[in-house]
C-alpha cells in the first residue's frame, strides 16, 4: 500500500472497475476467492486458496442455525463464499457487488455448482442496498468495508434490510487501536488499491451500536491472516508481474517498486483482521 493523504475516496464505479481488472488475478492467487486466507497454525503448509476457503468456513460457522433462511452477501466477489455457504446449508443467498465481471463469474459458478436456484448475484452499491426493510434473515460482508467511503453507512444499510433477530457477520482488514509502530489514520490509504482508509478496530462497536445492532463478538485474527496472506500475494505478483502491471495500468518497473515497498514497509504489525458478529434486536 502507498500512503496518499487527503485523497478522495473511490466511487463505486472506480471500485467496480478495480475489481473488473483484478478479479481474474485474485482468483488465481487465492483459489477462486477475492479475500485473504486464514492460517490458525503458522507454517501448516496450506495453499492460499485453502486458507481463503478456511476463512469462509469460519464465517459460515458464525451464521449457524440459518437453515431455510435468506442471506445477503455484501461484496460477493466471484461468488465462491456464497456458493460454499449454499452447499453447506439449505439457504437462499443474494450476492451483491459493484463489479459486472464478478456478477458474471459468480452467476456462472452458481450454475456450475448446481445452486443457481438458490444463489443469485446482482450489481448493487452496498451504500444504497436495493432491498426492502427486513428482507433478509442474515448477512455477511467478507472483506469489503475497506473499499467503502463510509463503512458506517454500509452497516446501517445492512441493519435496515435485516429482519428483527437477524444476524450479521463481518471480516475485514483493520487498523489496530494500539499498534506497535505508531501508525496513524490516513497512512494506509491507497488509491492504487481502491482503499480510502482502514477502520480502527475499536470503532466497530460504535458503528454497530449506531446502526441499532447488538454486538456479539469482536475478534482480531490479524496475526493468522495478514502476514501469510500478504506474503502469498507478493509471491504471486512477482510471478505474474507483467499481468499485474497491465491490470493496474502502470509500467512493470513501477509495479516492481510497489511490490518492494509493500515488502519493506514497517506497518504490518499495525494491520489487523477483524471478525465480528452482531444481531438486530427482536424476536
Amino acid at each position: 500500500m502507498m500512503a496518499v493523504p487527503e485523497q478522495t475516496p473511490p466511487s463505486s464505479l472506480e471500485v467496480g472497475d478495480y475489481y473488473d481488472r483484478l478479479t481474474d488475478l485474485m482468483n488465481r492467487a487465492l483459489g477462486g476467492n477475492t479475500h485473504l486466507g486464514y492460517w490458525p497454525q503458522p507454517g501448516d503448509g496450506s495453499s492460499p486458496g485453502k486458507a481463503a476457503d478456511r476463512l469462509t468456513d469460519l464465517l459460515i460457522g458464525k451464521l449457524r442455525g440459518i437453515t431455510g433462511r435468506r442471506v445477503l452477501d455484501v461484496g460477493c466477489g466471484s461468488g465462491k463464499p456464497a456458493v460454499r455457504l449454499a452447499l453447506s446449508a439449505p439457504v437462499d443467498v443474494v450476492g451483491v457487488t459493484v463489479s459486472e465481471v464478478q456478477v458474471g463469474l459468480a452467476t456462472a459458478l452458481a450454475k456450475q455448482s448446481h445452486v443457481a436456484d438458490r444463489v443469485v448475484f446482482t450489481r448493487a452499491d452496498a451504500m444504497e442496498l436495493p432491498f426492502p426493510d427486513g428482507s433478509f434473515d442474515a448477512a455477511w460482508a467478507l472483506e469489503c468495508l475497506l473499499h467503502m467511503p463510509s463503512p458506517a453507512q454500509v452497516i446501517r444499510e445492512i441493519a435496515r434490510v435485516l429482519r428483527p433477530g437477524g444476524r450479521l457477520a463481518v471480516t475485514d482488514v483493520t487498523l489496530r487501536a494500539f499498534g506497535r509502530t505508531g501508525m496513524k489514520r490516513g497512512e494506509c490509504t491507497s488509491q492504487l488499491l481502491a482503499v480510502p482508509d482502514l477502520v480502527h478496530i475499536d470503532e466497530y462497536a460504535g458503528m454497530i451500536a449506531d446502526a441499532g445492532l447488538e454486538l456479539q463478538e469482536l475478534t482480531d485474527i490479524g496475526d493468522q491472516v495478514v502476514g501469510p496472506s500478504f506474503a502469498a500475494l507478493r509471491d504471486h505478483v512477482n510471478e505474474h508481474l507483467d499481468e499485474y502491471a497491465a491490470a493496474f495500468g502502470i509500467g512493470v518497473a513501477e509495479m516492481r517498486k510497489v511490490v518492494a515497498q509493500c515488502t519493506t514497509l514497517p506497518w504490518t504489525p499495525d494491520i489487523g483482521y477483524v471478525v465480528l458478529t452482531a444481531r438486530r434486536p427482536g424476536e
Side-chain angles (χ1 to χ4, degrees):
M1 294 183 185
M2 299 185 298
V4 184
E6 304 297 330
Q7 70 178 16
T8 302
S11 67
S12 61
L13 288 176
E14 289 170 328
V15 175
D17 176 66
Y18 169 84
Y19 277 105
D20 284 348
R21 292 181 283 111
L22 268 295
T23 291
D24 176 64
L25 285 164
M26 288 182 176
N27 283 351
R28 286 155 53 189
L30 298 167
N33 296 288
T34 53
H35 64 269
L36 302 181
Y38 176 45
W39 284 266
Q41 301 296 328
D44 70 358
S46 297
S47 68
K50 182 176 180 180
D53 288 341
R54 186 185 292 131
L55 185 64
T56 298
D57 291 342
L58 177 69
L59 215 57
I60 288 174
K62 304 298 182 183
L63 295 182
R64 60 191 178 280
I66 57 170
T67 295
R69 303 304 180 93
R70 190 168 186 245
V71 182
L72 175 64
D73 180 356
V74 180
C76 62
S78 299
K80 191 174 183 182
V83 168
R84 197 170 178 88
L85 172 61
L87 291 173
S88 72
V91 296
D92 294 329
V93 185
V94 178
V96 298
T97 173
V98 290
S99 167
E100 290 284 4
V101 167
Q102 289 185 343
V103 170
L105 291 171
T107 300
L109 180 62
K111 291 179 180 176
Q112 178 185 346
S113 303
H114 309 290
V115 293
D117 58 327
R118 296 188 289 118
V119 182
V120 296
F121 301 95
T122 186
R123 188 179 183 281
D125 188 344
M127 299 276 288
E128 298 180 20
L129 291 170
F131 306 112
D133 295 358
S135 52
F136 290 92
D137 301 293
W140 71 10
L142 278 77
E143 210 172 297
C144 67
L145 293 180
L146 75 167
H147 293 299
M148 305 297 176
S150 173
Q153 181 176 332
V154 176
I155 292 175
R156 288 194 298 270
E157 274 291 275
I158 295 173
R160 177 184 65 79
V161 302
L162 282 176
R163 65 166 178 79
R167 279 181 287 164
L168 168 64
V170 172
T171 67
D172 211 14
V173 180
T174 187
L175 182 61
R176 286 169 167 164
F178 302 103
R180 283 164 276 184
T181 65
M183 184 175 175
K184 302 294 191 299
R185 174 181 295 284
E187 293 181 285
C188 50
T189 58
S190 174
Q191 190 169 12
L192 188 67
L193 300 176
V195 175
D197 205 354
L198 295 182
V199 176
H200 282 268
I201 194 167
D202 57 353
E203 293 178 314
Y204 286 99
M207 291 193 294
I208 291 295
D210 289 345
L213 300 174
E214 297 173 344
L215 183 65
Q216 296 181 310
E217 176 187 357
L218 180 63
T219 306
D220 179 6
I221 60 170
D223 291 342
Q224 291 77 44
V225 173
V226 176
S229 293
F230 281 8
L233 287 171
R234 177 201 62 208
D235 291 345
H236 194 264
V237 172
N238 280 326
E239 291 169 6
H240 305 277
L241 204 60
D242 291 356
E243 293 178 80
Y244 276 94
F248 278 114
I250 61 179
V252 173
E254 185 177 355
M255 190 74 232
R256 189 174 287 111
K257 289 180 182 178
V258 170
V259 176
Q261 183 183 31
C262 290
T263 301
T264 58
L265 280 177
W267 44 248
T268 301
D270 280 352
I271 303 298
Y273 197 88
V274 69
V275 177
L276 74 81
T277 60
R279 178 180 178 274
R280 181 175 172 180
E283 292 190 10

